[in-house]
Amino acid sequence: MSRIGNAPIEIPKDVKVTIRDSSILVEGNLGVLEQEYELVTVTKKGDEIRVLTDVQSKESRSRHGLYRSLIANMVKGVSRGFTLQLELVGVGYRASSRDQLLDLSLGFSHNILLEIAPEVKVETKSERGKNPLITLKSHDKQLLGQVAAKIRSFRKPEPYKGKGVRFVGEQIRRKAGKSA
């Protein structure tokens, strides 16, 4: 039995939830999200959403907590939103954004141009003496994570000098270099 799946989801006052046969629609002041589900039952009673398992199969139990977490993230996303920050660590690493186009200079012979999805808002900040920051904001947590992972994949942090694109606050396990 999933402990996460049993917890109810509180619905804020500014969020509207519509439950259909096999999907749930969540509307808020930041946007609209829809999620399809199977092998579980989603019910709304007052200002609470509960996710219940239909049958006691292994697959149903495994999806119980998953769908509860996805719905909770949808409710939080349309009411408050999510923010992720990426830090560019390395000499000459730069980032700039114009509308939904992100321009990254990560030490390659060319700049990387990445068009960001319209649901994700991107901001860049460069201060003298500090590492450049990329701030991503969205109401869709899954899409936000995918965009951040794509940006990070261009230059992952390496363990010797720690250079690369990393999440703010991420700890990189460092290795000692060759000992002479």
Side-chain angles (χ1 to χ4, degrees):
M1 190 76 127
S2 172
R3 292 182 183 167
I4 293 172
N6 289 331
I9 303 165
E10 297 290 326
I11 304 172
K13 291 184 179 11
D14 59 339
V15 175
K16 182 183 170 204
V17 176
T18 308
I19 298 173
R20 298 193 194 112
D21 291 339
S22 63
S23 68
I24 182 167
L25 183 76
V26 181
E27 299 176 56
N29 55 359
L30 295 180
V32 178
L33 293 172
E34 186 172 6
Q35 175 67 46
E36 292 188 8
Y37 57 88
E38 58 184 13
L39 300 175
V40 296
T41 304
V42 179
T43 59
K44 178 183 169 188
K45 187 182 268 186
D47 62 343
E48 270 187 357
I49 300 174
R50 286 199 173 269
V51 179
L52 309 167
T53 56
D54 290 342
V55 289
Q56 288 301 319
S57 69
K58 185 175 181 180
E59 196 169 336
S60 174
R61 288 181 308 198
S62 67
R63 293 187 185 189
H64 187 208
L66 167 74
Y67 285 125
R68 192 262 176 212
S69 295
L70 290 175
I71 294 169
N73 286 338
M74 289 167 55
V75 170
K76 183 179 175 188
V78 297
S79 62
R80 289 184 271 165
F82 295 101
T83 303
L84 270 179
Q85 284 191 322
L86 296 161
E87 180 180 27
L88 306 179
V89 180
V91 178
Y93 288 9
R94 288 187 297 279
S96 63
S97 66
R98 189 176 25 147
D99 297 329
Q100 291 301 100
L101 192 67
L102 184 64
D103 184 9
L104 298 169
S105 175
L106 298 175
F108 297 117
S109 61
H110 58 283
N111 286 359
I112 299 169
L113 296 173
L114 180 66
E115 191 164 337
I116 307 292
E119 295 88 7
V120 179
K121 304 294 177 237
V122 62
E123 296 175 10
T124 55
K125 185 170 129 182
S126 297
E127 290 182 23
R128 190 172 180 93
K130 293 186 179 178
N131 295 327
L133 287 175
I134 302 170
T135 305
L136 303 169
K137 295 180 183 179
S138 180
H139 64 280
D140 190 350
K141 188 174 185 178
Q142 184 177 357
L143 180 64
L144 186 70
Q146 285 178 342
V147 170
K150 180 69 174 173
I151 295 170
R152 189 176 188 269
S153 72
F154 293 131
R155 181 74 81 169
K156 288 186 179 171
E158 53 96 15
Y160 296 102
K161 293 185 179 179
K163 294 167 50 171
V165 180
R166 68 171 84 161
F167 295 105
V168 171
E170 180 182 8
Q171 297 292 319
I172 304 298
R173 180 183 282 168
R174 302 292 297 269
K175 292 182 180 178
K178 268 191 343 187
S179 47

